[in-house]
Amino acid sequence: MAEAVYTIRLDALEVTMGLGIHAHEQAPQRVLVSVAMTCAYPDMPADRIEAVVDYDRVREGIHAIAAAGHVMLQEVLCERIAVLCLADPRVVAVTVRSTKPDIYPDAQIGCEIVRRRD
């Protein structure tokens, strides 16, 4: 059988963290994080969690990153999350998006990156 490729998504995970360069962003604020991981398995996975990438581990890792301390740039936050996801060798590519929904009254501000395994 050919390689089985899936996209595992974790959308709009809300974390509260310090994120930003401005004085008013030093206090914790809401940040929404979305992750899309392209995962490749040798065959169609068996119906058990050990056979696939566990999004619980990714969710918990994102919460740990948010709790680790203030981050100045959304780009850095997204990079840290991408590294977390690519730590599983079955993840061949990841798209990470962070959004600060409460900075402007009329818009959300965010960053999105795409990283692929070499």
Side-chain angles (χ1 to χ4, degrees):
M1 177 179 238
E3 179 179 69
V5 178
Y6 297 84
T7 299
I8 308 264
R9 302 188 61 87
L10 177 64
D11 287 323
L13 173 65
E14 185 174 318
V15 296
T16 301
M17 64 179 295
L19 178 62
I21 62 169
H22 300 292
H24 66 275
E25 295 178 304
Q26 300 310 303
Q29 63 179 296
R30 285 188 325 133
V31 178
L32 304 176
V33 176
S34 293
V35 175
M37 296 174 287
T38 302
C39 303
Y41 308 112
D43 296 304
M44 188 175 95
D47 195 14
R48 353 179 281 285
I49 191 61
E50 301 83 24
V52 296
V53 173
D54 185 353
Y55 50 77
D56 284 342
R57 182 189 63 80
V58 174
R59 180 182 165 275
E60 291 164 6
I62 293 169
H63 277 288
I65 290 168
H70 191 90
V71 177
M72 300 290 280
L73 301 173
Q74 289 194 70
E75 291 84 349
V76 171
L77 174 63
C78 288
E79 290 289 351
R80 290 177 183 172
I81 295 168
V83 167
L84 166 74
C85 295
L86 289 167
D88 188 314
R90 299 170 295 182
V91 177
V92 296
V94 62
T95 301
V96 179
R97 177 185 306 141
S98 66
T99 304
K100 298 192 291 187
D102 303 321
I103 297 299
Y104 300 123
D106 57 352
Q108 298 181 7
I109 188 70
C111 176
E112 181 174 291
I113 65 169
V114 177
R115 296 293 177 263
R116 290 178 177 76
R117 185 171 305 287
D118 290 334

